[in-house]
Amino acid sequence: MTTSTPDSVATTPHRPLKRAFAGRVRWWTYAFLFGSVLLSAFPLYWMFVVSTNDSAAVSQTPPTIVPGGNFFVLAEQVFTTVPFVQSLLNSFIVAGSIAISQMILCTLAGFAFAKLEFRGRDPLFIVVLITMMVPTQLAVIPLYMIMSNLEWIDTLQALIVPGMASAFGIFWMRQHLSTVLNNELMQAARIDGCSTWQIYWRIAFPLVRSAGFVLGLLAFVTAWNDFLWPLIVIQSPENYTVQLAIKALQRQYFVDYGLAMSGSFLATIPLLILFIFVGRKMVAGVMDGAFKG
């Protein structure tokens, strides 16, 4: 015959309650998330409000927070003032080329740093990491001299080629490949007669496809929003990216905020559409790396 101790009697009924409490999400968690979403979305909403009103609405006290009725009028002015459609096409070409090239080149470099043995691999990877700490502004002058010597000033390749690979992308893909591709699998592939390229293309790349997709999406957004480098190397309006087109909407002595915000809102729509279609894959890729790391 067994007897239960007073401690066991006192603790046993509380275990289901603790598990139920741990699995329940409190209301303030939802309130915090809802407030965070509102704060994050408010700048986008404010941009839309200004893009539907004239510039006087911005300087009102208190400022208006209700959308007006001038959006289509201002949007028409955007397309007639600057070559906005051509600028959107240029941004798609530049950002898309950079995204695809970073997916391929950074995955190749990450595979080499993670799984291939060659002399100077670790010091070279340290050099790659150090370049992540160098401010972008320091590279502008030497990069401009290189583009000038190549006679690429005022061309789209001057925007694409410098962004085809990045230190962050190499580091990102190297970490993922170190985690998901084990040495035993590579040895088995070599025994079956696979070359290094076949191991990369048939085994390594499919394993890190989600991480490469996230990298490509981040590279696309970064290239789309880039303003400094296009402002330096692009001069002709027909080669403007969308950020330069928005800059061209400003007058010499004043800024028409309604017109500028209309251009900014139109430039944001492609990114919103992109996130609607691929946001789930992006989150899956980030979470995949988080759990496996």
Side-chain angles (χ1 to χ4, degrees):
M1 181 177 179
T2 60
T3 58
S4 59
T5 63
D7 292 340
S8 62
V9 172
T11 57
T12 301
H14 293 285
R15 288 175 182 172
L17 294 178
K18 289 182 178 179
R19 286 196 293 268
F21 180 80
R24 188 172 57 186
V25 180
R26 294 289 185 174
W27 65 269
W28 56 73
T29 303
Y30 290 106
F32 176 76
L33 293 176
F34 183 72
S36 300
V37 170
L38 286 181
L39 288 176
S40 302
F42 183 76
L44 182 63
Y45 174 74
W46 173 248
M47 181 172 63
F48 176 72
V49 169
V50 178
S51 67
T52 58
N53 292 280
D54 53 18
S55 297
V58 180
S59 56
Q60 289 180 356
T61 305
T64 181
I65 57 173
V66 179
N70 296 330
F71 176 73
F72 291 103
V73 176
L74 294 173
E76 184 179 358
Q77 291 183 20
V78 169
F79 285 101
T80 55
T81 305
V82 295
F84 203 75
V85 176
Q86 183 63 41
S87 301
L88 286 172
L89 179 61
N90 292 338
S91 288
F92 267 116
I93 294 173
V94 172
S97 301
I98 289 176
I100 294 173
S101 62
Q102 286 214 17
M103 287 177 62
I104 298 174
L105 297 180
C106 292
T107 307
L108 275 171
F111 175 71
F113 281 120
K115 294 300 175 182
L116 299 185
E117 297 289 341
F118 56 91
R119 181 178 298 178
R121 184 189 67 173
D122 293 339
L124 185 59
F125 184 66
I126 293 175
V127 171
V128 172
L129 294 181
I130 291 175
T131 60
M132 295 173 61
M133 306 173 190
V134 178
T136 306
Q137 291 78 6
L138 293 180
V140 168
I141 294 177
L143 196 56
Y144 183 86
M145 295 174 64
I146 294 173
M147 295 297 112
S148 178
N149 292 331
L150 293 173
E151 298 182 351
W152 283 1
I153 298 299
D154 199 22
T155 61
L156 293 184
Q157 56 261 39
L159 303 178
I160 296 173
V161 173
M164 292 180 68
S166 67
F168 169 76
I170 295 172
F171 172 75
W172 171 270
M173 298 311 302
R174 188 252 187 196
Q175 296 305 107
H176 277 272
L177 283 162
S178 298
T179 304
V180 301
L181 182 60
N182 56 55
N183 295 328
E184 291 76 11
L185 184 59
M186 290 187 61
Q187 292 173 0
R190 290 194 184 280
I191 293 174
D192 289 340
C194 289
S195 63
T196 302
W197 171 256
Q198 290 173 327
I199 293 174
Y200 163 76
W201 185 248
R202 295 183 178 180
I203 300 176
F205 189 76
L207 287 175
V208 294
R209 187 178 301 164
S210 299
F213 188 81
V214 173
L215 175 63
L217 188 58
L218 293 176
F220 185 93
V221 175
T222 302
W224 184 275
N225 293 327
D226 190 17
F227 175 72
L228 176 63
W229 182 240
L231 180 65
I232 294 173
V233 297
I234 298 299
Q235 300 164 358
S236 303
E238 60 269 18
N239 291 329
Y240 277 179
T241 60
V242 69
Q243 303 301 330
L244 295 182
I246 295 172
K247 173 67 172 59
L249 293 173
Q250 300 178 8
R251 302 292 189 263
Q252 185 175 1
Y253 299 106
F254 72 97
V255 178
D256 188 341
Y257 290 104
L259 188 63
M261 285 298 179
S262 295
S264 300
F265 185 76
L266 291 173
T268 308
I269 291 177
L271 294 181
L272 294 178
I273 295 174
L274 182 66
F275 274 104
I276 289 174
F277 282 100
V278 302
R280 186 184 296 273
K281 290 185 178 180
M282 181 178 179
V283 174
V286 173
M287 297 305 295
D288 182 59
F291 285 124
K292 289 179 179 176

